[in-house]
Amino acid sequence: MAWAIHGLLLRFVLFAGTAQGLQLQIKRNNLPVSNSPLSARAGGLPLDNSADISYYAQIALGGQNFKVLIDTGSSDLWIAGKVVESNSTGLNASVKYAANSVTGPIKQARLDFAGHQIPDQAFLEIPSESKRTEGDGILGLGPSSGSFIAQRLSSGIGAPVLERIFLQNRSAPNFFTILLGRDKDPTDFFSGRVTVGEVLEDYPDIVKQPQLPIVKVPESESDDQHLQILLDSDGITGPDGKSIPITSSVDQTANKSQATVVLDCGFTLPQLPRFHGSEFRQVPGIGGAWVLPCEQEVNITFKFGGKMYPIHPLDMSMYFQPFTYDRGESPNYDMVLGMAFMRNVYSLFDYGDFIENSSKVSSPYVQLFSITDMAEAHSDFVTVRLGEVDTTASQGLKPTDAGTSSAKKLTYGIVVAVVVIAILVGVAIFILRARRR
Ligand SMILES: *[C@@H]1O[C@H](CO)[C@@H](O)[C@H](O)[C@H]1NC(C)=O
Ligand SMILES: *[C@@H]1O[C@H](CO)[C@@H](O)[C@H](O)[C@H]1NC(C)=O
Ligand SMILES: *[C@@H]1O[C@H](CO)[C@@H](O)[C@H](O)[C@H]1NC(C)=O
Ligand SMILES: *[C@@H]1O[C@H](CO)[C@@H](O)[C@H](O)[C@H]1NC(C)=O
Ligand SMILES: *[C@@H]1O[C@H](CO)[C@@H](O)[C@H](O)[C@H]1NC(C)=O
Ligand SMILES: *[C@@H]1O[C@H](CO)[C@@H](O)[C@H](O)[C@H]1NC(C)=O
C-alpha cells in the first residue's frame, strides 16, 4: 500500500537548542516551486511553497535580500545572519516559541516588504549558525500584543512590521491578505501570495464576505492574542454529511457550540489524524508518528458566518504526532486551523482602521473567500492519489453504506478522526509557538 509520505523526501531539522520540540521540514524532489506564471493572480508578493509545509516570502533588510517564513501565529521579525546596513539599539531580546526560542541583538534597518518600506524596522539578528536549512528567518504577521521586540523597545519603534506599515499612512487600509498554493494540485498552479493593503485582482469578492470579528482574549492575557474567530455552531461537517457536535472550552464563549479557532499559516508541523486505516510507525529521526493511507478520501467542510468552506481532500492527509501539548486550565482557543485549512480560502485579516481624528481603530475582523470546488477537488484527488481510478465509492463513507457493520465502523472511525483533527490537530503544533508564559 502506498503510505502517505508520497514522493517526498523527508528531512527533519532540529531547531537550535530545542529540548522537546522538533522542527520538521519536508523537502520535495526538485520540483519547480511554481510551475506557471502567476498573472492570473497578479498583485502582491509571491510566496515560495516548500512542500505545503512552509511558505516563504522575500524581503529586503538594509538592501539585502532574505527569505523569511510567513507566520500569522507570531509577531516578530528575526533574521539569521548579518544585516550589514543596520543600526544597533544596544538591547538584546529573545523571541520565545513554545518549545524553542531565538536570542540576539535588536537592530534596525530599512525594510522592503510587499511594496512597502519602513526606514527603521526593528528586528532580531541571530547568529547565522542558528539558520534553518531553508529560509533565513521568520516574519510574524500576528497582532502586536504578542511581540517580544515591542515589549523590549516600548517606544513604538519596536512595533512589528504590519503595525509600522499601518501607522505610517493612517488613511491607507489596515489589512493584509494571504493565498496559499497547494504543492501537488494537478489543476491549480500557484505557490501563493501575500498582500498588504490591497486585494488580489482575481478575488475582488473577498471584501464582500462576512466580516468575522477577531475574538479578543482577556486583557491580562493579551500576549496570547492570535488571529482567532468563532466557528459557526457545530460548524464542522464530517464525511457522512453530518455536523460534528462541538463543546467549546473557552470560558468567554457565550455559545458553547461555537469553537474558537486560530488561523495560523506558520503552523509548521502537520497534523495528527487517527483515521481508520492509519498506522502508528517509528519514523527515523522523529520517533512515533501516525501515518495515513493516502488513498483515503476525507471530505470535511467548515462553516463561518453562514458560509461553507470545503477542505480539499488532498489537504486532509498529514501525518505526524511528535509531541504532546497542554493548553492549560483556561484555554483561549479550541483549535488551530493551519495551512491545510488556509489553502482552501483566500483570507483577509483587517486589523481595524483608524477612526478619523481619534487614536482608536475599528474592530478587527477576518474575511474568508472559499476557493475549493468540491467536484474539482475530488477529481484532483482521484488523479493524484488513485491513479485516475475512482475507488472512493467503496471507501464506505456514503450514508447508504451505513447499514453494514464494517461500513458503520469505518464511518465512526472517520468521524472520530475528524473530531481528533478538529480538536488536536492544530493545537499540537501551534502550541509549539504559542506559549509565552
Ligand atoms: C547582549 O548580548 C551580548 C552577547 O551575549 C552581550 O555581550 C551583551 O552584553 C548583551 N547586551 C546587553 C545590553 O545585555
Ligand atoms: C542609522 O544611524 C545613522 C546615524 O545616526 C542614521 O543616519 C541612519 O538613518 C540610521 N539607519 C537606520 C536604518 O536606522
Ligand atoms: C496613503 O494612503 C492613501 C490611500 O491608500 C493614498 O492615497 C496616499 O497616497 C498614501 N499616502 C502616502 C504618503 O503614501
Ligand atoms: C447556539 O447557537 C445555536 C445555533 O445558532 C442555537 O441553536 C443554540 O440554541 C445556541 N445555544 C445557546 C446556549 O445559546
Ligand atoms: C477631523 O479634524 C479635521 C481638522 O481638525 C476636521 O476638519 C474634520 O471635520 C474632523 N473630522 C471629524 C470626523 O470629526
Ligand atoms: C467527497 O466529495 C466528492 C464531491 O462531493 C464526492 O464525489 C466523493 O465521493 C466524496 N468522497 C467520499 C469518500 O465520500
Side-chain angles (χ1 to χ4, degrees):
M1 185 182 272
W3 289 88
I5 311 171
H6 46 94
L8 295 176
L9 167 66
L10 287 172
R11 191 152 50 107
F12 303 97
V13 182
L14 269 174
F15 208 102
T18 297
Q20 326 103 285
L22 283 167
Q23 196 78 16
L24 172 72
Q25 293 197 336
I26 296 185
K27 177 89 183 140
R28 65 183 171 177
N29 303 325
N30 300 325
L31 290 173
V33 163
S34 97
N35 37 8
S36 94
L38 285 168
S39 55
R41 288 176 173 82
L45 178 68
L47 296 177
D48 253 18
N49 175 2
S50 177
D52 286 352
I53 298 295
S54 317
Y55 293 85
Y56 293 94
Q58 183 164 301
I59 63 169
L61 266 178
Q64 262 170 278
N65 288 335
F66 294 99
K67 198 170 133 189
V68 289
L69 185 81
I70 290 291
D71 181 18
T72 55
S74 67
S75 313
D76 290 294
L77 170 63
W78 61 261
I79 292 292
K82 189 115 194 80
V83 178
V84 179
E85 284 184 31
S86 63
N87 289 347
S88 178
T89 61
L91 293 172
N92 294 335
S94 290
V95 175
K96 296 194 179 68
Y97 305 96
N100 47 51
S101 67
V102 290
T103 301
I106 305 176
K107 298 201 163 181
Q108 287 177 285
R110 197 193 74 197
L111 170 73
D112 291 87
F113 168 59
H116 298 263
Q117 285 81 37
I118 312 282
D120 52 358
Q121 176 62 45
F123 66 98
L124 213 58
E125 191 185 79
I126 69 162
S128 53
E129 306 89 81
S130 319
K131 181 167 143 57
R132 293 149 32 122
T133 4
E134 239 180 312
D136 302 307
I138 294 184
L139 172 56
L141 300 177
S144 55
S145 52
S147 165
F148 291 92
I149 295 175
Q151 266 169 33
R152 202 80 181 79
L153 258 184
S154 47
S155 54
I157 52 164
V161 171
L162 286 178
E163 188 173 314
R164 292 295 308 274
I165 292 175
F166 297 153
L167 278 167
Q168 203 164 253
N169 183 350
R170 292 172 53 129
S171 53
N174 290 350
F175 68 80
F176 71 100
T177 76
I178 292 189
L179 180 72
L180 300 182
R182 185 175 298 106
D183 191 18
K184 292 282 187 296
D185 195 311
T187 47
D188 274 316
F189 310 108
F190 60 93
S191 55
R193 294 261 158 174
V194 61
T195 75
V196 178
E198 58 173 352
V199 162
L200 292 179
E201 274 168 26
D202 255 18
Y203 305 107
D205 286 350
I206 177 84
V207 297
K208 297 185 191 145
Q209 302 310 301
Q211 295 186 358
L212 311 164
I214 289 182
V215 176
K216 291 227 170 77
V217 303
E219 195 68 44
S220 60
E221 295 174 40
S222 65
D223 60 349
D224 196 31
Q225 178 70 57
H226 293 97
L227 297 170
Q228 54 196 56
I229 54 179
L230 287 177
L231 189 64
D232 282 6
S233 262
D234 296 330
I236 306 176
T237 306
D240 59 356
K242 299 206 175 83
S243 74
I244 293 157
I246 290 171
T247 305
S248 173
S249 48
V250 176
D251 286 344
Q252 64 267 32
T253 306
N255 190 327
K256 294 292 180 207
S257 67
Q258 290 192 276
T260 299
V261 307
V262 171
L263 298 171
D264 184 354
C265 71
F267 210 49
T268 325
L269 278 166
Q271 349 206 311
L272 153 107
R274 283 178 206 189
F275 285 92
H276 179 94
S278 67
E279 204 178 73
F280 195 73
R281 296 186 161 194
Q282 292 301 318
V283 179
I286 200 165
W290 288 94
V291 183
L292 171 77
C294 58
E295 295 88 349
Q296 179 68 59
E297 183 181 42
V298 178
N299 290 331
I300 290 184
T301 300
F302 288 84
K303 197 170 159 199
F304 292 98
K307 292 229 165 190
M308 303 302 261
Y309 297 92
I311 304 306
H312 199 301
L314 287 177
D315 292 328
M316 289 304 299
S317 41
M318 292 292 197
Y319 349 92
F320 301 101
Q321 186 199 20
F323 36 67
T324 55
Y325 60 91
D326 172 18
R327 281 182 304 156
E329 291 278 289
S330 57
N332 286 318
Y333 56 86
D334 295 296
M335 62 180 104
V336 177
L337 297 179
M339 293 172 279
F341 172 80
M342 290 185 73
R343 277 192 286 276
N344 294 278
V345 292
Y346 176 43
S347 0
L348 182 152
F349 299 88
D350 194 308
Y351 275 109
D353 277 322
F354 295 101
I355 294 163
E356 207 184 338
N357 298 349
S358 145
S359 58
K360 292 209 168 74
V361 288
S362 57
S363 295
Y365 61 85
V366 174
Q367 287 173 306
L368 302 173
F369 182 76
S370 172
I371 58 171
T372 296
D373 173 84
M374 268 327 260
E376 187 195 317
H378 173 68
S379 120
D380 288 350
F381 186 85
V382 171
T383 302
V384 173
R385 299 281 173 81
L386 304 176
E388 307 286 359
V389 184
D390 188 350
T391 54
T392 59
S394 63
Q395 292 183 350
L397 295 168
K398 299 241 168 73
T400 47
D401 292 338
T404 75
S405 70
S406 69
K408 241 186 209 154
K409 231 182 255 160
L410 178 53
T411 307
Y412 179 72
I414 295 289
V415 170
V416 168
V418 170
V419 176
V420 169
I421 286 201
I423 314 298
L424 306 184
V425 165
V427 176
I429 297 95
F430 176 73
I431 207 71
L432 256 187
R433 297 198 327 274
R435 298 233 109 189
R436 302 225 149 114
R437 273 172 296 277

